[in-house]
């Protein structure tokens, strides 16, 4: 038995394909006290799978050695796992014919999960114990053992102790919605990352559905490079400088990348239709919240709002956290990129 609760002194670790991030929060004071970020070489993590263990180990060691703010005095960590390698769904469970609710959950989950039971780790969270049909509402998650074991191995190799492995969508929701009591209507969270995008529908106080897309900040950069015949560095600069603005740079960058975002808004409409038609008691999406590094593109919230006819805002996961002025200045411009890491740290 632990003499002290390790969760109180743990930190969040977000491992993505283009960068790794850590966040530590004083949970009692709700204060951000440590953070760090390291960009990593392409190919170290591909499609959520660790390909270069030795290189990743070096990056993580560097990340945790000298974070901004307080020095890490704990080895306990909550680690994110890639959404596209996992399965998450809200299910209804009735244990009338089972000896226990856990047995009923395992049986019901096996009817939904598209993986072989002996090749996955299964976990769940009971959202509501009973409804009108005397069923329990349970959020179930599953991940391939090969993925979890590889992440566990790399974390242990740098002398850290994993307390949990959590899906990106769950951590994201914790960072930007679970803390905000004002959000009660159906919300779509769009996490725009460097190599993929997660769409998460939050309805009736729970994640109802999530989907991972190949749409990414990297894809946008490559489109600019291709159309304007310029190198990556210049493409990134133009993307950041002009974004989707109509007037800046004579709207040249907008003309190049707007068709890609039109595909994204089409996908948003498709997913809403799928949700309405396939999920019981579903509601139409009222609001959209953007997070992730790609969400900071200029004029993006306005474009998505115009195309979808829904209120669209940029997430600020720092809204509900205190922090020292020095740390606040470091993370302020890039806070949407730290959303998942903040959500993990809050667990």
């Amino acid at each position: 038995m632990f003499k002290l609760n390790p969760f109180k002194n743990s930190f969040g670790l977000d491992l993505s394909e283009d960068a790794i991030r850590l966040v530590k929060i004083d949970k009692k004071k709700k204060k951000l006290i440590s953070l760090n970020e390291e960009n990593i070489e392409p190919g170290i993590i591909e499609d959520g799978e660790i390909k270069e263990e030795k290189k990743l180990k070096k990056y993580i060691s560097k990340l945790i050695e000298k974070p901004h703010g307080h020095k890490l005095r704990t080895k306990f960590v909550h680690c994110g796992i890639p959404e596209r390698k996992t399965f998450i769904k809200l299910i209804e469970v009735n244990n009338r014919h089972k000896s226990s609710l856990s047995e009923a959950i395992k049986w019901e989950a096996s009817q939904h999960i598209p993986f072989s039971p002996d090749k996955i780790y299964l976990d769940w969270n009971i959202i509501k114990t009973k409804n009108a049909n005397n069923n329990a509402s349970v959020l179930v998650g599953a991940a391939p053992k090969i993925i979890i074991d590889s992440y566990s191995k790399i974390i242990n190799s740098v002398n850290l102790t994993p307390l949990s492995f959590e899906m990106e969508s769950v951590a994201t929701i914790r960072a930007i919605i679970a803390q905000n009591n004002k959000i009660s209507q159906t919300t779509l969270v769009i996490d725009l990352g460097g190599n993929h995008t997660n769409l998460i529908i939050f309805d009736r106080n729970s994640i109802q559905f999530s989907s991972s897309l190949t749409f990414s900040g990297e894809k946008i950069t490559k489109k600019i490079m291709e159309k304007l015949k310029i190198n990556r560095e210049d493409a990134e600069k133009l993307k950041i400088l002009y974004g989707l603005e109509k007037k800046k740079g004579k709207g040249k960058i907008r003309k190049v990348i707007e068709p890609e975002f039109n595909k994204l808004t089409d996908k948003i409409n498709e997913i809403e239709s799928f949700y309405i038609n396939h999920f019981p008691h579903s509601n139409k999406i009222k609001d959209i919240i953007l997070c992730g590094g790609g969400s900071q593109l200029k004029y993006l919230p306005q474009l998505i709002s115009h195309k979808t006819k829904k209120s669209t805002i940029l997430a600020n996961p720092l809204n509900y956290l205190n922090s020292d002025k020095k740390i606040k200045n470091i993370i302020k411009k890039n806070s949407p990129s730290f959303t998942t890491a903040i959500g993990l740290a809050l667990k």
Side-chain angles (χ1 to χ4, degrees), residues 119-312:
K119 293 183 179 179
I120 63 165
Y121 291 117
L122 180 70
D123 199 5
W124 61 82
N125 183 28
I126 298 172
I127 305 300
K128 191 176 181 182
T129 53
K130 286 184 179 181
N131 60 19
N133 297 318
N134 205 33
N135 292 343
S137 295
V138 182
L139 187 68
V140 295
K145 288 181 178 180
I146 191 170
I147 296 294
I148 300 297
D149 291 347
S150 67
Y151 277 61
S152 181
K153 181 181 177 183
I154 200 73
I155 289 174
N156 286 322
S157 74
V158 291
N159 298 315
L160 296 176
T161 302
L163 291 177
S164 71
F165 294 95
E166 188 165 64
M167 297 171 190
E168 292 170 337
S169 60
V170 177
T172 298
I173 291 298
R174 183 182 297 113
I176 61 178
I177 290 186
Q179 298 181 88
N180 189 345
N181 295 327
K182 294 179 181 179
I183 297 177
S184 57
Q185 54 193 11
T186 310
T187 301
L188 174 67
V189 175
I190 305 177
D191 186 354
L192 289 146
N195 290 281
H196 68 282
T197 291
N198 293 331
L199 302 182
I200 311 158
I201 294 179
F202 184 85
D203 189 11
R204 306 194 313 280
N205 296 314
S206 177
I207 294 172
Q208 299 289 332
F209 175 76
S210 71
S211 178
S212 186
L213 311 178
T214 57
F215 181 90
S216 66
E218 175 65 14
K219 185 171 278 190
I220 296 301
T221 300
K222 285 182 177 178
K223 183 62 68 174
I224 297 171
M225 292 169 63
E226 175 190 320
K227 291 290 185 180
L228 301 185
K229 310 296 182 188
I230 57 177
N231 61 34
R232 177 179 296 278
E233 185 178 353
D234 290 339
E236 279 288 341
K237 285 180 181 177
L238 290 174
K239 183 175 77 171
I240 294 168
L241 186 61
Y242 299 129
L244 287 157
E245 290 276 7
K246 292 180 179 179
K247 295 180 180 179
K248 284 189 176 181
K250 298 180 180 180
K252 182 164 46 175
I253 299 302
R254 180 184 173 113
K255 288 176 185 176
V256 171
I257 64 178
E258 186 175 5
E260 296 302 312
F261 283 97
N262 287 340
K263 293 176 187 176
L264 175 62
T265 54
D266 287 344
K267 194 68 180 176
I268 291 169
N269 293 329
E270 283 177 26
I271 283 177
E272 180 177 31
S273 295
F274 177 82
Y275 177 59
I276 293 294
N277 293 324
H278 292 83
F279 285 71
H281 316 298
S282 56
N283 299 296
K284 285 189 175 182
I285 294 167
K286 300 294 184 182
D287 297 316
I288 296 175
I289 301 177
L290 307 177
C291 64
S295 67
Q296 299 173 82
L297 202 66
K298 290 180 179 178
Y299 202 75
L300 178 58
Q302 294 92 326
L303 177 76
I304 291 180
S305 181
H306 175 70
K307 297 285 185 181
T308 63
K309 310 301 181 189
K310 301 179 190 300
S311 168
T312 304

Side-chain angles (χ1 to χ4, degrees), residues 40-56:
I40 64 174
E41 300 170 37
I44 291 180
I45 301 176
E46 285 184 356
D47 194 29
E49 298 180 15
I50 298 171
K51 300 294 185 180
E52 299 279 354
E53 287 186 7
K54 289 183 179 178
K55 288 184 178 180
L56 183 58

Side-chain angles (χ1 to χ4, degrees), residues 54-103:
K54 289 183 179 178
K55 288 184 178 180
L56 183 58
K57 180 180 176 180
K58 288 181 181 178
Y59 277 110
I60 296 175
S61 296
K62 185 179 178 183
L63 182 81
I64 64 178
E65 186 179 358
K66 291 182 179 179
H68 300 288
H70 293 203
K71 184 178 179 180
L72 290 177
R73 301 185 185 280
T74 179
K75 294 185 180 295
F76 298 114
V77 60
H78 300 288
C79 182
I81 50 176
E83 194 73 16
R84 59 204 178 282
K85 291 294 182 182
T86 62
F87 175 87
I88 186 169
K89 188 175 182 181
L90 190 72
I91 64 173
E92 298 261 313
V93 177
N94 191 310
N95 68 328
R96 189 181 307 159
H97 304 297
K98 301 291 179 183
S99 60
S100 67
L101 182 58
S102 62
E103 184 185 344

